[in-house]
Amino acid sequence: MQARPYQEELLEKAKEKNIIVYLGTGSGKTFIAVMLIKHMRDLLGRSKKVVFLVNNVALLEQQAQVIRDCTGLNTASFCGADGVDHWEKEVQEQSGMVFIHQVFLDAVAHGFISISNLALLVMDECHHAVKNHPYSKIMTDWYHPAKKKGRAVPKVLGLSASIVVKAVKTEEFRKEKAKLEMMLDAVVETADGISIDLFVNSAREKILHYSASSSLGCEEEVGKVIVSARKELWEVKENELSAIMKSGADVNSKTTSADSLRKDFKFFVNNIFGSIGALLELGVYSLVSMEGSLEEDIKSKCERSDTIWYREEVRDMMADITKKNFRSIIRIAIAKSQILRFSGSEKEKILKFSGSKVLKLIEIIENKGFGQSEEMDMRCIVFVERKLISLALHYLIWKLKLATVVDVGYCYSANANRNVKDPREAEEVNKEKHRMKETLRKFRIGAVNVLVSTSVVEEGIDVPSCNLVVKFDFPQTFRSYIQSKGRARKKGSQYILLVEEGDSDKEARYKEWLGVYKMSMRECHSRMKVQVEQDERDGEFYCTSEARVSGIQAMVLLYRYLQKIPVDRFTRLTPAWTIQMSDNEDQIRRNQSQLFVGMGLLPPHGYLARVQLPHKTPRKVEGKVKVRKEWAKRSAALEVIRLLHEKGELDDSLKVKKKEAVVVDEDSQDEDDAIKKVQEETADSSVTNSHPSWTPSHAPLSTFTLWN
């Protein structure tokens, strides 16, 4: 594979210093990384490695295979499902390693990999390195401290097609660029637009309008049903929440029950009724077609009695309210449209009972874009926001049997709303991942030429054969616009945004995005220095001879520890948090915290967090006083980890020590939920459960002596 001139230019810069390669999708950023790896291969061995970090599982094996094929290096991929307990040997045998970012952060924290033993660290989609993202934590907790102490640190190469998430003015872009450069200890570099245009195909862009007219004529009536249903569900949830809080159960049980209740309430209100609202826009045909799918989702939720931690009859009540109102909506739609009395062909039925937005999509697919496309071999990706919409449009296009469609496929995130710790759900997730992989393979070879997908295919997935992208749902952000447009890579490609007639806000946003992209390329050539302040950070860690964890990692570790304690299927272990303002409340509100933090000190006033663990004789553990609520919560978690380590529950790598085998139910809270809960950093956690406390037969003896 021959490098393009601008790739060679950026490679030379990457050899000299740490850089962030800022190029559009399809311009060969990954190949620049591969060339740099080849250049550095003589440095690699048992003590020096190359690590390539990715943002999602879908990219993991793709990037690992590219490195294997282009460099010949032994390269392995690692994701959360692999675990980190037995990696030492495999890590030693590999010259190259591709990690999900969070998994790499865990491996470094537990002492399995040292940042100083890396020759090169590549961060794909490095624009995510903000706030508490794992990319940020890798740099602030490990790279920068090592460099400050004079230890060896790897060369850093960042790859990005979009530095900012939203549309910003020039001054704000400069600040965001400078922050990213500071975070990654690198300089943003790009190529001249003219030289890129010689080699990279840019899609022709166009907004296509659809009329605001409806195929239903009953939106107002249906809207009232949805509002009424949500109000009923809210009242049921609030009544049960009140009953939980007034019960005699311990605080940890209450915490578990309330979390479970809120999660199920969200499922009925957002997943079901939110999907109904989205289906209404497609038309009566899609709403009726997906009736069975929504009914199956409700049924699946109600069949899982082993995952409910509040009264089962309350969950059944919410399900009954949902089913009753959903069937009412279906009846209204059928009665208004008279779809069941229609006697025409399936295609005629679809065209008659679909909304104007769907009709515009059909027109685009039939015409292979806006007007007759020069490219006769159409490969089209239709981007949507919701999984159910991808299924509905997939079914509709399949039923149409259009002459331009060879076959149609669909893609969505396999892990979404799944408990991957449950063997049954894990099996379904793996099946879906394999199906998605096969669908993408068929799309690449042309056996499938229309793909309806959520954003799972937007960022980084390699589909070079795509020549038509339709953004069925308008992009939520500037970054989504850039990433989705980048999927249309072939010569003569088209990128289409669907916008309702008269929606001037979306049209104005699109024009703004065009300006932001031009401005960003201009600014990345500029060497103007912008002064930015580092974000305030809490520097508290817990260290052993082999590992070091931050407060965020301590919270995740705490949830993992509780999940690994054997309990029966009727018990779930949840920590309960309280956060209070400490003394001198007025002083904390003064603008002094920046000064204390800058001096490496913390003021003796602020927020104090306590965590009560589920235990036969529970004791509250409290952290240090912090200037922010989330820091206080992390401090309490670090104190728990210290106690667990001192009592021998965690080894020196801060991994949970293995217990004797106990036969238990394998259902547990998805670890992703635990990580998400930690990242949300809720300041006031009052959560609940009315199930039994532990008994000695449920847990190791050491667990009971831990807090005595």
Side-chain angles (χ1 to χ4, degrees):
M1 191 173 175
Q2 186 67 37
R4 299 160 182 167
Y6 68 85
Q7 291 175 321
E8 292 178 340
E9 178 189 338
L10 290 168
L11 171 64
E12 291 306 312
K13 291 180 179 179
K15 291 177 183 178
E16 297 170 6
K17 59 189 177 184
N18 294 346
I19 70 168
I20 298 164
V21 176
Y22 180 52
L23 293 173
T25 48
S27 54
K29 295 186 294 295
T30 301
F31 189 60
I32 295 171
V34 167
M35 290 193 296
L36 184 59
I37 292 170
K38 288 175 72 174
H39 169 73
M40 300 180 68
R41 64 183 301 159
D42 291 342
L43 300 175
L44 307 180
R46 293 184 66 83
S47 60
K48 287 291 182 180
K49 312 286 183 183
V50 167
V51 166
F52 194 115
L53 301 180
V54 297
N55 198 50
N56 58 61
V57 176
L59 286 169
L60 194 69
E61 187 53 34
Q62 174 183 296
Q63 304 297 48
Q65 192 60 51
V66 168
I67 295 171
R68 289 188 208 108
D69 292 343
C70 296
T71 68
L73 293 175
N74 289 334
T75 305
S77 59
F78 301 88
C79 65
D82 300 323
V84 295
D85 293 329
H86 308 289
W87 282 3
E88 293 93 333
K89 183 179 178 182
E90 190 167 359
V91 165
Q92 288 297 320
E93 293 173 351
Q94 306 299 329
S95 297
M97 295 175 284
V98 182
F99 283 90
I100 297 293
H101 44 53
Q102 180 65 53
V103 177
F104 177 73
L105 178 59
D106 290 343
V108 174
H110 292 298
F112 296 127
I113 300 173
S114 169
I115 201 83
S116 296
N117 288 341
L118 303 184
L120 174 64
L121 179 62
V122 182
M123 293 184 171
D124 199 13
E125 312 295 350
C126 68
H127 46 258
H128 292 290
V130 294
K131 298 182 180 178
N132 290 319
H133 190 278
Y135 278 167
S136 301
K137 303 303 290 180
I138 289 164
M139 298 304 291
T140 57
D141 293 355
W142 298 97
Y143 176 93
H144 288 295
K147 184 178 181 181
K148 192 174 182 180
K149 292 175 182 177
R151 296 175 185 165
V153 292
K155 179 178 283 293
V156 176
L157 177 66
L159 309 176
S160 178
S162 175
I163 289 176
V164 293
V165 176
K166 59 185 180 180
V168 294
K169 302 298 182 185
T170 302
E171 203 60 41
E172 186 63 25
F173 179 86
R174 289 172 181 168
K175 288 181 181 178
E176 292 300 314
K177 172 175 167 280
K179 282 183 180 179
L180 186 64
E181 289 177 328
M182 183 187 296
M183 178 66 73
L184 297 190
D185 191 26
V187 178
V188 172
E189 296 283 358
T190 189
D192 181 80
I194 297 174
S195 64
I196 295 175
D197 289 342
L198 291 174
F199 297 93
V200 180
N201 298 312
S202 297
R204 290 179 291 158
E205 302 178 45
K206 193 170 185 178
I207 286 179
L208 292 184
H209 298 94
Y210 59 93
S211 67
S213 61
S214 165
S215 70
L216 284 175
C218 57
E219 279 78 8
E220 186 176 346
E221 195 174 349
V222 168
K224 287 179 180 178
V225 174
I226 292 176
V227 169
S228 174
R230 283 178 165 164
K231 184 179 178 182
E232 276 190 86
L233 290 168
W234 175 267
E235 289 172 352
V236 170
K237 186 260 292 184
E238 287 298 302
N239 289 338
E240 177 65 3
L241 197 57
S242 176
I244 289 168
M245 295 307 176
K246 291 176 182 176
S247 72
D250 62 82
V251 65
N252 302 96
S253 295
K254 291 178 179 180
T255 296
T256 302
S257 294
D259 267 350
S260 179
L261 173 62
R262 291 187 182 108
K263 188 175 181 179
D264 286 352
F265 169 76
K266 186 177 178 181
F267 167 81
F268 291 116
V269 168
N270 293 347
N271 289 33
I272 301 300
F273 284 106
S275 294
I276 291 171
L279 285 171
L280 285 171
E281 188 178 34
L282 302 189
V284 176
Y285 183 88
S286 293
L287 181 63
V288 174
S289 297
M290 290 296 107
E291 180 182 4
S293 180
L294 282 172
E295 291 271 12
E296 186 60 37
D297 285 349
I298 298 169
K299 181 182 177 183
S300 296
K301 170 65 71 175
C302 294
E303 284 177 346
R304 298 300 308 278
S305 60
D306 51 358
T307 61
I308 182 171
W309 308 97
Y310 56 97
R311 288 185 300 153
E312 195 170 334
E313 56 265 34
V314 174
R315 197 267 315 278
D316 292 341
M317 194 185 306
M318 289 195 292
D320 289 341
I321 291 169
T322 302
K323 286 187 283 189
K324 176 190 72 177
N325 285 280
F326 176 48
R327 288 166 183 163
S328 176
I329 290 169
I330 294 292
R331 284 197 303 271
I332 292 169
I334 289 174
K336 286 282 186 181
S337 65
Q338 298 292 301
I339 188 173
L340 298 183
R341 296 186 180 184
F342 186 76
S343 58
S345 67
E346 194 69 16
K347 182 175 181 178
E348 289 171 337
K349 183 190 288 188
I350 291 170
L351 296 177
K352 181 173 177 60
F353 297 105
S354 290
S356 55
K357 191 175 182 180
V358 171
L359 297 179
K360 179 58 69 174
L361 175 64
I362 295 169
E363 178 188 317
I364 291 167
I365 294 173
E366 285 185 313
N367 292 333
K368 299 182 180 180
F370 43 84
Q372 191 65 34
S373 173
E374 298 173 9
E375 178 63 64
M376 298 305 295
D377 181 21
M378 180 184 70
R379 305 281 177 83
C380 172
I381 300 178
V382 181
F383 280 113
V384 298
E385 289 294 326
R386 290 176 175 268
K387 167 189 166 182
L388 191 67
I389 300 305
S390 72
L391 296 175
L393 288 178
H394 165 264
Y395 178 77
L396 183 146
I397 295 168
W398 176 71
K399 294 293 284 186
L400 276 170
K401 310 296 182 188
L402 298 174
T404 54
V405 178
V406 178
D407 197 3
V408 58
Y410 62 89
C411 289
Y412 56 80
S413 175
N415 289 338
N417 301 311
R418 294 279 195 177
N419 178 4
V420 295
K421 295 294 183 182
D422 182 336
R424 291 166 293 187
E425 293 209 32
E427 185 178 350
E428 290 300 314
V429 167
N430 286 329
K431 283 182 183 177
E432 183 53 39
K433 284 180 179 176
H434 286 303
R435 190 204 59 75
M436 176 177 163
K437 187 176 180 180
E438 178 61 13
T439 299
L440 289 172
R441 185 192 70 81
K442 288 181 178 180
F443 185 77
R444 290 185 181 108
I445 65 173
V448 166
N449 73 331
V450 176
L451 182 65
V452 188
S453 177
T454 62
S455 60
V456 69
V457 178
E458 239 179 42
E459 194 169 272
I461 298 294
D462 188 27
V463 281
S465 55
C466 177
N467 55 20
L468 174 60
V469 168
V470 181
K471 206 57 164 117
F472 187 80
D473 293 321
F474 196 81
Q476 296 286 318
T477 63
F478 169 70
R479 184 173 294 161
S480 175
Y481 158 69
I482 292 293
Q483 296 287 359
S484 59
K485 183 175 70 169
R487 296 309 108 205
R489 297 188 183 182
K490 231 179 172 185
K491 186 177 180 180
S493 296
Q494 298 179 3
Y495 179 72
I496 297 172
L497 296 160
L498 291 185
V499 175
E500 186 177 87
E501 288 176 353
D503 193 338
S504 56
D505 287 345
K506 285 189 174 65
E507 296 203 30
R509 209 179 314 163
Y510 170 66
K511 289 178 182 177
E512 184 181 20
W513 287 342
L514 292 175
V516 169
Y517 181 72
K518 291 176 183 177
M519 176 270 291
S520 70
M521 296 302 293
R522 184 178 65 249
E523 285 299 318
C524 285
H525 283 290
S526 168
R527 289 289 171 262
M528 181 181 290
K529 295 291 183 183
V530 177
Q531 294 297 320
V532 291
E533 291 184 358
Q534 282 189 320
D535 293 336
E536 242 181 319
R537 293 187 180 276
D538 180 32
E540 187 180 1
F541 296 88
Y542 177 68
C543 304
T544 70
S545 59
E546 298 180 12
R548 184 184 70 172
V549 294
S550 65
I552 290 178
Q553 289 173 301
M555 292 180 70
V556 176
L557 264 177
L558 173 55
Y559 282 101
R560 286 178 184 165
Y561 171 76
L562 294 177
Q563 288 169 11
K564 290 192 176 184
I565 295 174
V567 293
D568 61 35
R569 61 183 291 180
F570 302 107
T571 307
R572 184 173 175 185
L573 310 176
T574 307
W577 304 85
T578 56
I579 301 176
Q580 295 177 333
M581 181 78 81
S582 72
D583 295 333
N584 301 322
E585 180 177 336
D586 291 336
Q587 288 184 341
I588 194 63
R589 292 199 172 97
R590 295 176 190 168
N591 219 4
Q592 296 179 0
S593 59
Q594 194 84 22
L595 174 64
F596 278 98
V597 174
M599 295 169 60
L601 302 171
L602 288 173
H605 45 70
Y607 296 100
L608 182 67
R610 296 181 179 88
V611 56
Q612 182 165 315
L613 286 95
H615 183 254
K616 185 180 179 182
T617 55
R619 179 187 119 190
K620 287 186 177 179
V621 178
E622 66 181 40
K624 298 175 182 176
V625 174
K626 299 285 183 176
V627 295
R628 295 185 183 177
K629 290 181 180 180
E630 62 268 26
W631 291 2
K633 196 172 178 181
R634 295 172 197 168
S635 181
L638 283 166
E639 179 63 13
V640 173
I641 297 306
R642 183 186 70 79
L643 291 168
L644 288 171
H645 179 238
E646 287 184 357
K647 294 296 182 179
E649 293 292 297
L650 304 177
D651 62 21
D652 287 343
S653 294
L654 296 180
K655 301 297 293 181
V656 180
K657 285 188 177 180
K658 294 203 181 308
K659 311 296 180 185
E660 292 183 10
V662 181
V663 178
V664 294
D665 179 56
E666 292 187 346
D667 291 324
S668 64
Q669 182 184 20
D670 182 359
E671 190 172 292
D672 290 342
D673 283 348
I675 293 173
K676 185 178 179 182
K677 179 188 284 289
V678 169
Q679 291 174 336
E680 286 173 351
E681 293 289 350
T682 50
D684 184 12
S685 301
S686 55
V687 199
T688 61
N689 182 342
S690 55
H691 285 282
S693 300
W694 300 2
T695 62
S697 61
H698 289 151
L701 178 61
S702 60
T703 306
F704 286 95
T705 59
L706 182 58
W707 313 112
N708 291 338

